[in-house]
């Protein structure tokens, strides 16, 4: 038999294996703004787009001592495969970290993962079948949605406001989905300093949402990477501190220490924990022994609470710089005023489209993430996420001034084409923008 004739090459021009990929990879398409972000990473661009923690604030010798000690005293263990559940001593220490958020649990129920991103992946693998529904805030964390989509689940967005997810809207959505015969698998929520919206769920709403989910038989996936990075007051205690059986809690050392270590965790009810361990083993055999031992040693010997305080001070200052610059240069926009975390969520005046405006912004040497990235549907055109975690206060001020020029330019353009003069009146009524010579 002629092999070539019996296996006709199809695919497309660029990828001969195009027709061979599994259906679930459809959701793994590169985002339309990815190419622009490659440009935006040039040093002359002020990037308010990425959510990179400011790891330069970690003193050089803070982790070096831990690394040396681990290698000197436990080298062969650090370099070996480990348990699929994670290093027992670290799981005990994770309980101490979670206690700061009001959580009490057993180290037996902690599963260490390769960042909390991997916990999201494992959890989704356990629970999602094609056609299932995940309820999430609208907007929601983009890379969680990529995972949900990769398991061919649909994301149903429930709106949030400055107090977080709206319980009444959650009730309505659940009723509508159930009436349509949809299978709701879980509620995915980021209650503290939401990514991307920057808002925090109130205590009363935490109680109400847990009550709703309990009565409707819906599991809650509480993702809390930012809770310890509050600026002044602690956020309310974690949802997991109120409800144990109905909540799977995700935590990480990525924001309070360093994302390069890739150490996160899940705290889950016994049965789910068992399945998470099996899924973890199937995926990676064991999370990195090396980085787990480093984190464990760091928690042992360093003043990690003081390091978190340092981060909190840095992010507080940057958030204040951003909000002050928005107030000064873009008073016609509205934005959330986070009490912790990394993000401000901006709403543009009606005619503006953040996605369409992005190329112009990058040309003006400022980058942001368009709101559309955070919705599974077509929403978010009037929004953008601005991150204040990485750039310095000076860079933030410069970035917002550049953004103001972009917004002015866009409004002028729309004004010219609309020819009504209404937009410029709106702008003049609320204060002029600064001149363009700001670079
Ligand atoms: C809401 C949320 N969840 C999870 C993650 C993943 O964090 P990591 O995998 O580094 O723990 C992030 C990272 O930005 C995030 O913002």
């Amino acid at each position: 038999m002629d092999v070539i004739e019996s296996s006709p090459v199809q695919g497309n021009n660029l990828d001969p294996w195009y027709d061979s990929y599994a259906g679930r990879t459809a959701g793994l398409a590169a985002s339309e703004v990815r190419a622009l972000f490659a440009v935006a990473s040039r040093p002359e661009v002020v990037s308010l787009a990425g959510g990179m923690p400011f790891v330069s604030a970690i003193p050089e010798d803070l982790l070096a001592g831990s690394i040396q000690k681990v290698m000197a005293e436990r080298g062969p263990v650090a370099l070996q495969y480990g348990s699929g559940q994670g290093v027992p001593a670290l799981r005990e220490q994770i309980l101490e970290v979670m206690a700061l958020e009001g959580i009490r649990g057993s180290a037996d129920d902690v599963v260490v993962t390769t960042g909390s991103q991997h916990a999201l992946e494992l959890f989704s693998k356990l629970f999602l079948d094609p056609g299932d529904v995940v309820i999430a805030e609208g907007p929601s964390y983009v890379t969680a949605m990529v995972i949900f989509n990769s398991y061919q689940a649909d994301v149903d967005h429930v709106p949030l406001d400055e107090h977080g997810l709206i319980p009444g809207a959650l009730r309505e959505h659940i009723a509508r989905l159930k009436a349509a015969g949809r299978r709701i698998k879980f509620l995915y929520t980021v209650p503290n300093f939401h990514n991307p919206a920057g808002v925090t769920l109130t205590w009363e709403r935490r109680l109400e949402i847990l009550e709703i989910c309990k009565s409707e038989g819906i599991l809650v996936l509480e993702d809390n990477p930012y809770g310890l990075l509050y600026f002044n007051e602690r956020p309310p205690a974690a949802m997991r501190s109120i409800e144990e059986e109905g909540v799977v809690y995700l935590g990480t050392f990525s924001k309070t220490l360093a994302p390069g270590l890739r150490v996160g965790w899940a705290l889950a009810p016994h049965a789910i924990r068992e399945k998470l361990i099996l899924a973890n083993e199937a995926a990676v055999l064991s999370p990195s022994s090396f980085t787990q031992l480093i984190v464990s040693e760091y928690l042992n010997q360093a003043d990690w609470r003081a390091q978190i305080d340092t981060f909190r001070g840095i992010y507080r200052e940057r958030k204040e710089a951003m909000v002050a610059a928005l107030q000064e240069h873009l008073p016609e926009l509205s934005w959330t005023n986070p009490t912790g975390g990394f993000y401000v969520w901006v709403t543009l005046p009606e005619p503006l489209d953040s996605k369409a405006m992005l190329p112009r912004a990058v040309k003006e040497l400022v980058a942001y993430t368009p709101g559309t990235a955070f919705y599974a549907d077509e929403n978010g055109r009037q929004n953008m996420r601005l991150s204040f975690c990485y750039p310095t206060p000076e860079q933030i001020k410069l970035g917002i001034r550049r953004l103001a020029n972009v917004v002015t330019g866009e409004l002028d353009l729309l004004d010219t084409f609309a020819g009504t003069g209404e937009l410029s009146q709106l702008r003049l009524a609320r204060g002029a923008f600064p001149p363009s010579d700001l670079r």
Side-chain angles (χ1 to χ4, degrees):
M1 193 167 63
D2 186 325
V3 174
I4 292 174
E5 272 181 19
S6 69
S7 49
V9 177
Q10 293 183 344
N12 69 7
N13 284 343
L14 297 174
D15 183 355
W17 305 109
Y18 184 80
D19 298 319
S20 301
Y21 292 113
R24 63 179 167 274
T25 61
L28 291 177
S31 98
E32 297 157 55
V33 296
R34 208 183 168 123
L36 267 177
F37 285 154
V39 180
S41 62
R42 294 197 326 243
E44 63 273 29
V45 177
V46 174
S47 180
L48 307 174
M52 290 190 305
F54 189 63
V55 290
S56 309
I58 301 170
E60 222 171 82
D61 55 355
L62 192 69
L63 276 170
S66 304
I67 296 169
Q68 269 163 10
K69 192 149 184 245
V70 164
M71 285 315 291
E73 294 176 8
R74 309 190 60 193
V77 180
L79 298 177
Q80 193 50 272
Y81 292 115
S83 138
Q85 186 172 5
V87 169
L90 177 63
R91 287 190 278 113
E92 291 286 348
Q93 291 164 310
I94 285 171
L95 294 183
E96 270 179 64
V97 176
M98 290 192 295
L100 297 177
E101 314 238 21
I103 297 173
R104 279 189 298 170
S106 156
D108 279 351
D109 294 332
V110 174
V111 182
V112 179
T113 55
T114 308
S116 55
Q117 190 66 29
H118 198 224
L120 281 169
E121 166 76 30
L122 298 176
F123 182 87
S124 301
K125 190 176 191 175
L126 294 186
F127 282 95
L128 295 178
D129 284 315
D132 284 344
V133 176
V134 176
I135 297 182
E137 285 112 356
S140 185
Y141 170 49
V142 55
T143 329
M145 292 194 295
V146 171
I147 296 176
F148 305 151
N149 287 334
S150 78
Y151 285 98
Q152 294 166 292
D154 295 321
V155 175
D156 182 75
H157 288 295
V158 174
L160 43 68
D161 60 19
E162 69 271 31
H163 306 299
L165 186 74
I166 303 169
L170 176 63
R171 267 203 193 87
E172 280 169 28
H173 279 241
I174 293 171
R176 208 179 309 142
L177 288 162
K178 286 198 166 172
R182 301 298 305 270
R183 237 172 10 157
I184 305 168
K185 278 296 171 66
F186 56 87
L187 164 69
Y188 169 68
T189 180
V190 182
N192 295 325
F193 321 129
H194 188 268
N195 180 3
V199 298
T200 293
L201 191 66
T202 60
W203 175 248
E204 293 71 25
R205 285 193 181 181
R206 287 176 199 230
L207 295 173
E208 196 176 347
I209 287 166
L210 285 171
E211 199 51 54
I212 295 169
C213 288
K214 195 167 187 172
S215 67
E216 298 285 354
I218 296 172
L219 191 55
V220 175
L221 181 56
E222 177 180 25
D223 187 8
N224 184 27
Y226 304 103
L228 293 177
L229 297 177
Y230 54 92
F231 301 143
N232 296 307
E233 273 174 45
R234 284 177 185 278
M239 294 168 92
R240 170 56 178 72
S241 74
I242 309 162
E243 163 64 44
E244 289 186 17
E245 282 308 307
V247 177
V248 171
Y249 176 90
L250 306 185
T252 180
F253 290 103
S254 286
K255 320 291 176 178
T256 51
L257 183 53
L261 294 161
R262 308 308 298 130
V263 181
W265 70 89
L267 174 69
H270 304 306
I272 298 178
R273 172 221 49 199
E274 235 3 75
K275 289 223 164 19
L276 277 174
I277 297 170
L278 294 175
N280 210 12
E281 285 171 357
V284 298
L285 297 179
S286 64
S288 162
S289 307
F290 183 63
T291 57
Q292 284 184 83
L293 288 179
I294 291 168
V295 174
S296 179
E297 186 53 42
Y298 165 78
L299 294 172
N300 252 339
Q301 54 85 29
D303 191 349
W304 55 274
R305 288 179 181 82
Q307 181 56 38
I308 294 176
D309 286 346
T310 302
F311 279 129
R312 289 174 39 225
I314 290 169
Y315 297 137
R316 184 197 302 120
E317 188 191 5
R318 291 174 183 203
K319 192 280 299 224
E320 280 165 8
M322 179 169 279
V323 167
L326 283 167
Q327 236 140 21
E328 186 180 345
H329 300 296
L330 282 164
E332 50 277 277
L333 270 48
S334 56
W335 54 84
T336 55
N337 191 354
T339 52
F342 287 3
Y343 310 109
V344 168
W345 184 244
V346 173
T347 305
L348 298 166
E350 182 70 67
L352 294 187
D353 178 330
S354 64
K355 198 164 158 185
M357 200 169 79
L358 185 60
R360 186 182 187 126
V362 173
K363 194 162 164 276
E364 291 278 330
L365 304 180
V366 58
Y368 56 82
T369 312
T372 44
F374 305 99
Y375 285 92
D377 47 36
E378 280 301 295
N379 275 313
R381 287 191 172 273
Q382 243 183 288
N383 299 103
M384 59 173 77
R385 187 192 74 177
L386 301 181
S387 308
F388 50 80
C389 44
Y390 196 75
T392 63
E394 284 315 307
Q395 288 168 325
I396 289 170
K397 283 176 208 160
L398 178 62
I400 298 294
R401 268 155 46 199
R402 288 176 180 172
L403 189 62
N405 284 332
V406 176
V407 171
T408 316
E410 281 290 294
L411 285 171
D412 279 344
L413 203 67
L414 288 165
D415 217 6
T416 308
F417 282 108
T420 62
E422 274 174 37
L423 293 172
S424 48
Q425 270 166 27
L426 169 106
R427 197 167 64 250
L428 285 171
R430 293 182 184 174
F433 289 104
S436 60
D437 181 26
L438 293 166
R439 262 172 244 149

